[in-house]
Amino acid sequence: MKHPVLKKLMSVKACPIKLSPYDGIKLYSNNSVTQDFWNMIQPAKYIDTNITGTYYRYLVAHDLFVVEFGSRYSNIPETKITINPHTSSLTPIELLDLVVVILGDYKNVEVGSWDEQLDIIEYDSHEVAKRLW
């Protein structure tokens, strides 16, 4: 919580007022996490050699995100970030700020998939995004 961006985003999460039509956005990048991010999570590092079925060497789960990085295979992206903007009450700009904290920038980041939230049944997620987000 010492990182200023994470501290700000966590305080925003404490009083959710924003709506997002998307859940579980999965972002992929061939870039690895920044040295600052690595240094920040280093004290909490835990290695379990019995984990099977994972494509990444490292996994960091936080209230705002899940980051998997250090791909084990050359045909998958180096880093995968899962963010739920609805649960975390994040705006698009705050989501990008979070990606910048993790990867340094968002230029080489691609959206791989997202879950459409169906809480508003009159509109599809794209229509809701135009109106709210």
Side-chain angles (χ1 to χ4, degrees):
M1 286 307 298
K2 292 181 181 180
H3 194 283
V5 173
L6 291 179
K7 189 174 183 177
K8 176 185 159 216
L9 293 177
M10 288 301 290
S11 67
V12 167
K13 185 182 186 304
C15 30
I17 55 171
K18 301 173 201 103
L19 298 174
S20 169
Y22 302 107
D23 284 340
I25 298 174
K26 289 184 178 42
L27 306 167
Y28 296 94
S29 177
N30 285 323
N31 296 346
S32 189
V33 299
T34 64
Q35 188 64 47
D36 288 340
F37 183 77
W38 177 252
N39 292 341
M40 184 172 49
I41 64 168
Q42 191 70 22
K45 187 172 86 170
Y46 172 75
I47 297 174
D48 185 350
T49 56
N50 295 321
I51 296 175
T52 58
T54 181
Y55 300 116
Y56 295 92
R57 290 184 182 90
Y58 304 102
L59 178 134
V60 177
H62 186 272
D63 286 347
L64 295 173
F65 56 82
V66 174
V67 179
E68 297 173 75
F69 61 101
S71 65
R72 294 180 184 269
Y73 307 103
S74 60
N75 61 336
I76 62 170
E78 176 65 19
T79 305
K80 177 174 112 176
I81 303 170
T82 304
I83 300 175
N84 188 327
H86 179 75
T87 302
S88 302
S89 298
L90 298 176
T91 65
I93 296 299
E94 291 168 338
L95 186 141
L96 292 176
D97 288 345
L98 192 51
V99 170
V100 169
V101 167
I102 298 166
L103 294 173
D105 65 42
Y106 49 84
K107 292 178 184 170
N108 296 319
V109 176
E110 295 180 9
V111 175
S113 65
W114 65 88
D115 298 328
E116 293 185 5
Q117 187 174 323
L118 300 174
D119 296 342
I120 304 172
I121 57 175
E122 293 88 21
Y123 306 105
D124 67 15
S125 63
H126 300 292
E127 192 63 32
V128 173
K130 284 188 229 172
R131 295 168 186 259
L132 296 178
W133 210 47

